[in-house]
Amino acid sequence: MSEDKTAEIVLSLEIDDPALADRLAVLLSNVAGLRLAAPGETAAATIVARDPRIMPEDIALTQRELDVLALMAEGASNKMIARQLGISVHTVKFHVGSLLDKLDATGRTDAVAHAARRGVIEL
Amino acid sequence: MSEDKTAEIVLSLEIDDPALADRLAVLLSNVAGLRLAAPGETAAATIVARDPRIMPEDIALTQRELDVLALMAEGASNKMIARQLGISVHTVKFHVGSLLDKLDATGRTDAVAHAARRGVIEL
DNA sequence: CCATGTCCTGGCCACCCGGCCAGTTTCGCA
DNA sequence: TGCGAAACTGGCCGGGTGGCCAGGACATGG
């Protein structure tokens, strides 16, 4: 093997739609310099396609709610968020309440999970 | 459009490593039946490759801890988790405590976020 | 000018959470 | 056979969380 300048790029597939996965697998199997990962093999990159029907409408969050949400995702308590943003704990609770409402969540943990799922925040 | 048997599959690239992104773009641009997404275009699938140096060691979680963690990610309270798993709230707290410890988290929200980041769970 | 929306604040309160103490059982492994 | 790891349970308690009430400031736009 020595100096194979065109080292293969290993790709893995994580696609919900079996038909799409199949078509891609066929197409990609014929590309030189590229290979699909064997089961358990570590890939250089992953082809993902999650069910798109999940995020039709994006949530309308105010800037302040996004601020609070971001800090929540870092595991900050209401008190820490209040200090960070220079506002009172009551106000933080107010925004958290709005977030739980808009994100249809039962608690702050659920809220960041939902937000992450919908791409509102990046973990 | 009726029956275009060779409907193009649109792929988008989200790759941290510019070199890898380049090589892939070149390779894929020559594949028939496949096309890279234009900026802003909605792709059928995405090729992702995040910095791998982020997850060297995976966390050793027991089966029970994984059970609890999964329910936590659903926003379940300790009481709900207890009911779901048929154990006492005290035991749930016990496992949650271990999770906070192992995941180096300050609270359940932080724990879920960390676990998701490390790929321990899927949101 | 007033309605609406966002942001901000306060008090009150039931409940939840996480950390501390303690203990039991069951399992596999040395 | 003893020993540790995992799982499970209990009580206690300070602090956090979320829901409810109420209010004020400020900007946008009808």
Side-chain angles (χ1 to χ4, degrees):
Chain A
M1 44 187 84
S2 54
E3 269 324 278
D4 194 342
K5 222 28 172 307
T6 55
E8 281 185 325
I9 299 178
V10 180
L11 290 181
S12 62
L13 286 182
E14 286 183 18
I15 298 188
D16 290 343
D17 181 358
L20 177 59
D22 251 29
R23 293 171 59 198
L24 272 174
V26 170
L27 285 178
L28 296 177
S29 64
N30 294 325
V31 179
L34 194 153
R35 185 170 53 80
L36 292 184
E41 185 179 6
T42 304
T46 306
I47 304 182
V48 298
R50 297 281 164 250
D51 256 319
R53 40 191 166 136
I54 302 181
M55 40 178 294
E57 20 85 43
D58 21 19
I59 326 294
L61 298 182
T62 68
Q63 183 54 49
R64 215 45 167 172
E65 286 166 350
L66 288 175
D67 296 340
V68 172
L69 180 57
L71 291 172
M72 270 200 285
E74 301 296 327
S77 67
N78 287 341
K79 187 186 296 181
M80 296 165 85
I81 296 174
R83 252 198 292 271
Q84 197 79 22
L85 297 181
I87 59 182
S88 85
V89 176
H90 285 280
T91 306
V92 174
K93 288 186 179 184
F94 170 78
H95 291 303
V96 171
S98 300
L99 283 168
L100 297 189
D101 209 31
K102 291 184 178 180
L103 292 172
D104 196 36
T106 65
R108 66 208 288 114
T109 302
D110 204 28
V112 318
H114 280 193
R117 272 188 274 260
R118 306 194 190 185
V120 178
I121 56 171
E122 210 63 44
L123 286 186
Chain B
M1 44 188 81
S2 55
E3 269 324 280
D4 194 344
K5 222 33 174 301
T6 56
E8 281 186 326
I9 299 178
V10 180
L11 289 181
S12 63
L13 288 182
E14 285 184 18
I15 298 188
D16 289 345
D17 181 358
L20 177 59
D22 251 29
R23 294 171 60 198
L24 272 174
V26 171
L27 286 178
L28 297 177
S29 64
N30 293 324
V31 180
L34 195 153
R35 184 169 54 81
L36 292 183
E41 185 179 9
T42 304
T46 306
I47 304 183
V48 298
R50 296 280 164 251
D51 257 319
R53 42 195 164 130
I54 302 180
M55 42 176 294
E57 19 86 41
D58 23 17
I59 327 295
L61 299 182
T62 68
Q63 184 55 47
R64 216 44 167 170
E65 286 166 350
L66 289 174
D67 295 341
V68 173
L69 180 58
L71 291 171
M72 270 200 286
E74 301 296 327
S77 67
N78 287 340
K79 188 187 296 181
M80 296 165 84
I81 296 175
R83 252 200 291 272
Q84 198 78 20
L85 298 181
I87 59 182
S88 85
V89 175
H90 280 95
T91 307
V92 174
K93 288 187 179 183
F94 170 78
H95 290 303
V96 171
S98 300
L99 283 168
L100 297 189
D101 211 29
K102 292 184 177 180
L103 291 172
D104 196 36
T106 66
R108 58 168 60 234
T109 303
D110 203 29
V112 170
H114 280 191
R117 272 189 276 260
R118 306 195 191 185
V120 179
I121 56 173
E122 209 65 45
L123 285 187

